[in-house]
């Protein structure tokens, strides 16, 4: 159960980061959720990409751990 929750959290981070990065690349003025950072275009894009990478790693790790625990096939 714990790894399932972490997997869902990783997927949420993945989707939010990727969606924010794509939106920022299409409309440079729309900083989205990370607009409060005041890091400009490049800094915000890097933050979105880092959030995306964290989501990928967390989702993969949680899936592997759940599989090892017998929760996944």
């Amino acid at each position: 159960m714990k790894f399932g929750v972490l997997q869902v959290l990783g997927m949420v981070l993945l989707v939010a980061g990727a969606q924010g990065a794509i939106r920022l690349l299409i409309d440079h003025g729309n900083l989205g959720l990370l607009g409060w950072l005041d890091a400009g275009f490049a800094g915000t894009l890097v933050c979105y990409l880092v959030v995306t990478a964290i989501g990928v790693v967390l989702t993969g790790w949680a899936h592997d751990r759940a599989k090892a625990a017998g929760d996944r096939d």
Side-chain angles (χ1 to χ4, degrees):
M1 176 75 175
K2 175 176 75 170
F3 296 118
V5 172
L6 288 175
Q7 191 173 3
V8 170
L9 177 64
M11 288 186 279
V12 168
L13 289 174
L14 171 65
V15 169
Q19 185 265 342
I22 291 169
R23 179 184 40 207
L24 185 62
L25 288 172
I26 291 173
D27 182 9
H28 297 304
N30 188 357
L31 300 178
L33 290 173
L34 297 180
W36 57 271
L37 285 176
D38 196 33
F41 172 77
T44 305
L45 181 62
V46 167
C47 289
Y48 276 124
L49 294 176
V50 167
V51 168
T52 303
I54 290 170
V56 168
V57 170
L58 181 61
T59 302
W61 176 81
H63 179 72
D64 290 343
R65 294 296 302 250
K67 205 171 182 182
D71 293 341
R72 302 279 189 273
D73 292 333

